[in-house]
Amino acid sequence: MSCCGGLGPAQDANEEIQQISNVVKPHVEIKTGKSYEIFTAKSYTTQVVAGTNYFIKVHVGGDDHVHLRVHKKLPCHGGELELHGVQESKKGNDPIEHF
């Protein structure tokens, strides 16, 4: 669990994180101008703010990965997911960092 404002430790992705990744995948493809046949969440970390920021490492084929920053609003504000950023050209051993 992360403290308010700080990033928590990286963890292996679970079904919830894969579902979040699946929801934002069309937005990632628009932002990057690419279509991903492989889109598998591998690991993530979180930041508690007014909601939760998820920093997710997603495998997109070969040794290629993208890092996603996804914000989940608080339930009282609808609880929606919003893609806030994408980092391309990442590798499997690149750490997940705040961006």
Side-chain angles (χ1 to χ4, degrees), residues 46-96:
T46 58
Q47 177 188 35
V48 177
V49 289
T52 302
N53 286 328
Y54 292 88
F55 295 87
I56 306 170
K57 179 185 296 190
V58 178
H59 178 236
V60 293
D63 191 33
D64 295 330
H65 293 72
V66 294
H67 289 185
L68 311 180
R69 180 178 177 175
V70 180
H71 180 73
K72 184 175 184 180
K73 294 181 180 180
L74 291 170
C76 62
H77 296 290
E80 294 101 2
L81 296 169
E82 295 178 343
L83 178 66
H84 279 197
V86 178
Q87 291 182 330
E88 296 182 80
S89 302
K90 294 292 187 175
K91 299 296 177 195
N93 61 353
D94 288 339
I96 304 171

Side-chain angles (χ1 to χ4, degrees), residues 9-82:
Q11 303 173 59
D12 290 340
N14 55 33
E15 185 60 34
E16 176 190 11
I17 300 305
Q18 184 62 54
Q19 288 175 357
I20 290 170
S21 300
N22 292 345
V23 167
V24 300
K25 180 183 177 192
H27 304 285
V28 173
E29 291 178 332
I30 290 168
K31 193 168 206 112
T32 63
K34 297 177 183 174
S35 179
Y36 300 107
E37 288 185 34
I38 298 170
F39 204 76
T40 306
K42 292 296 187 181
S43 58
Y44 74 103
T45 186
T46 58
Q47 177 188 35
V48 177
V49 289
T52 302
N53 286 328
Y54 292 88
F55 295 87
I56 306 170
K57 179 185 296 190
V58 178
H59 178 236
V60 293
D63 191 33
D64 295 330
H65 293 72
V66 294
H67 289 185
L68 311 180
R69 180 178 177 175
V70 180
H71 180 73
K72 184 175 184 180
K73 294 181 180 180
L74 291 170
C76 62
H77 296 290
E80 294 101 2
L81 296 169
E82 295 178 343

